[in-house]
């Protein structure tokens, strides 16, 4: 029987983190919150999730500090989580998570205009496939609805992916900063910024809703981010990116298994699967195939034929 190495355990932790992240649609579509008005449900879920996420990471904070990059990071994080959850509540959780998942492609594009690291050649195909996937989803959603979708769930999901870029670019300026502290800053900023939209404007949670929100904030958001950050110490980011592809794949699975009999449940349309497949192919190329090809080219002559 093969003994798990430290790196194997870290890979398993990343998988667990991705599976926990993938429960976002399960909570966003849960009928437990049906008594909340649809127009305020998304922002209320974002606010209360942030409250419990902040409480979950607070005991782990060790080295509080301030960096100017925390300002755009926390603003981008709040906009990202708000637009993502509102899009999930109003529209398809599958479409939302895949459109948000093109965030790394936006990061690469930002590098082309001098924001962040300059993209590699291998990023080009990922960007093209991601944009093709976005085009399929956006065009078909527009044709299906017969109206502009810029301000609708699809537009919000795209905006969420763009805000992911702001979070990543900001964090890259804060290497070495306590991960739990960064989490507390992000969640705390979300609570402060969204409180005026929720307190006195949306119904207070009651009964079992408190438990659901506590799990949403801690087990779906706070805990997996800390697990992921810890596991990255022994797993390369390329490999981690491939493992976390399980998140957008599993989001619609959990929702289907839990809420398929709910009157408001809607099975993803065919174009969502096509667009998601193009986006996934881009990730597999960039973080899997391209990385392996690069390593082969970097090997000394004859090494590829050597016995392991």
């Amino acid at each position: 029987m093969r003994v798990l190495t430290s790196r194997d355990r870290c890979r398993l932790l990343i998988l667990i983190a991705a599976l926990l992240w993938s429960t976002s649609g399960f909570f966003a579509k849960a009928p437990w919150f049906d008594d909340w008005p649809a127009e305020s449900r998304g922002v209320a879920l974002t606010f209360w999730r942030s409250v419990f996420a902040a409480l979950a990471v607070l005991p782990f904070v060790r080295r509080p500090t301030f960096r100017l990059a925390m300002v755009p990071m926390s603003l981008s994080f709040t906009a990202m989580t708000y637009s993502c959850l509102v899009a999930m509540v109003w529209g398809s959780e599958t479409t939302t998570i895949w459109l948000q998942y093109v965030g790394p492609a936006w990061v690469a594009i930002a590098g082309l205009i001098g924001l962040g690291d300059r993209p590699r050649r291998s990023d080009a195909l990922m960007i093209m496939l991601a944009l093709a996937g976005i085009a399929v989803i956006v065009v078909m959603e527009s044709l299906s609805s017969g109206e502009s979708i810029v301000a609708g769930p699809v537009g919000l999901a795209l905006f969420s992916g763009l805000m992911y870029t702001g979070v990543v670019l900001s964090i890259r300026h804060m290497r070495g900063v306590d991960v739990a502290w960064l989490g507390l800053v992000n969640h705390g900023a979300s609570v402060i910024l969204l409180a005026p939209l929720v307190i006195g404007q949306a119904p207070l949670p009651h009964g079992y809703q408190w438990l659901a929100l506590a799990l949403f904030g801690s087990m779906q958001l706070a805990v997996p981010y800390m697990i992921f950050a810890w596991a990255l110490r022994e797993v390369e980011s390329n490999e981690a990116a491939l493992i976390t592809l399980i998140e957008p794949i599993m989001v619609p699975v959990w929702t289907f298994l839990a809420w398929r009999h709910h009157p408001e449940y809607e099975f993803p349309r065919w174009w969502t699967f096509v667009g998601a497949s193009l986006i996934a192919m881009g990730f597999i190329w960039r973080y899997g195939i391209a990385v392996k090809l690069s390593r082969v080219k970097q090997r000394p002559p004859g090494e590829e034929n050597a016995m392991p």
Side-chain angles (χ1 to χ4, degrees):
M1 182 177 178
R2 182 173 178 269
V3 178
L4 290 178
T5 64
S6 177
R7 180 168 292 186
D8 289 334
R9 287 192 289 271
C10 285
R11 291 187 181 111
L12 181 59
L13 286 174
I14 291 174
L15 177 62
I16 292 172
L19 288 173
L20 289 173
W21 280 330
S22 71
T23 59
S24 57
F26 169 85
F27 286 100
K29 292 294 189 181
W32 307 324
F33 306 103
D34 281 354
D35 60 334
W36 290 5
E39 60 272 13
S40 62
R41 192 181 309 160
V43 66
L45 285 174
T46 308
F47 171 79
W48 289 111
R49 182 177 72 160
S50 295
V51 168
F52 286 104
L55 293 174
V57 301
L58 182 59
F60 299 94
V61 174
R62 295 293 180 268
R63 302 186 306 275
T65 185
F66 175 76
R67 301 282 180 85
L68 189 59
M70 289 179 177
V71 176
M73 175 195 72
S74 57
L75 292 175
S76 298
F77 181 86
T78 301
M80 177 186 74
T81 54
Y82 165 78
S83 53
C84 179
L85 271 182
V86 172
M88 280 192 175
V89 170
W90 289 355
S92 165
E93 74 286 349
T94 309
T95 300
T96 299
I97 193 62
W98 278 106
L99 289 181
Q100 187 194 45
Y101 220 73
V102 301
W106 298 130
V107 173
I109 293 174
L112 289 173
I113 58 176
L115 299 175
D117 301 327
R118 186 166 182 80
R120 303 177 181 181
R121 287 185 177 180
S122 53
D123 288 329
L125 183 57
M126 176 187 71
I127 292 172
M128 288 189 291
L129 287 170
L131 293 178
I134 290 172
V136 169
I137 294 173
V138 170
V139 170
M140 291 307 302
E141 287 284 350
S142 181
L143 291 174
S144 174
S145 62
E147 56 187 29
S148 174
I149 56 173
V150 175
V154 174
L156 285 169
L158 282 171
F159 180 70
S160 180
L162 286 170
M163 290 299 97
Y164 168 89
T165 307
V167 175
V168 171
L169 294 179
S170 300
I171 289 178
R172 285 183 178 176
H173 292 284
M174 293 182 287
R175 290 183 174 92
V177 177
D178 182 16
V179 172
W181 171 242
L182 289 178
L184 183 61
V185 170
N186 282 329
H187 304 316
S190 297
V191 172
I192 294 170
L193 293 171
L194 297 178
L197 302 177
V198 177
I199 304 301
Q201 306 297 319
L204 279 173
H206 59 81
Y208 56 83
Q209 291 179 344
W210 287 110
L211 176 60
L213 290 168
L215 291 173
F216 197 12
S218 58
M219 298 307 297
Q220 188 277 325
L221 184 60
V223 171
Y225 268 106
M226 288 189 289
I227 292 175
F228 182 76
W230 186 85
L232 276 181
R233 294 184 299 178
E234 294 199 37
V235 178
E236 294 180 0
S237 58
N238 293 319
E239 185 177 2
L242 283 179
I243 296 174
T244 55
L245 262 180
I246 194 69
E247 180 197 356
I249 292 172
M250 291 303 297
V251 164
V253 174
W254 299 134
T255 308
F256 172 78
L257 292 176
W259 315 125
R260 64 186 182 277
H261 298 305
H262 191 270
E264 295 183 6
Y265 175 78
E266 182 178 345
F267 194 79
R269 307 289 183 88
W270 65 264
W271 53 80
T272 300
F273 291 108
V274 173
S277 298
L278 290 169
I279 295 168
M281 285 165 54
F283 266 76
I284 293 170
W285 157 256
R286 171 62 183 85
Y287 298 113
I289 300 172
V291 171
K292 289 185 177 181
L293 291 175
S294 176
R295 287 173 179 169
V296 169
K297 290 180 180 178
Q298 293 173 3
R299 289 178 184 172
E303 186 178 323
E304 61 273 14
N305 297 320
M307 293 294 290

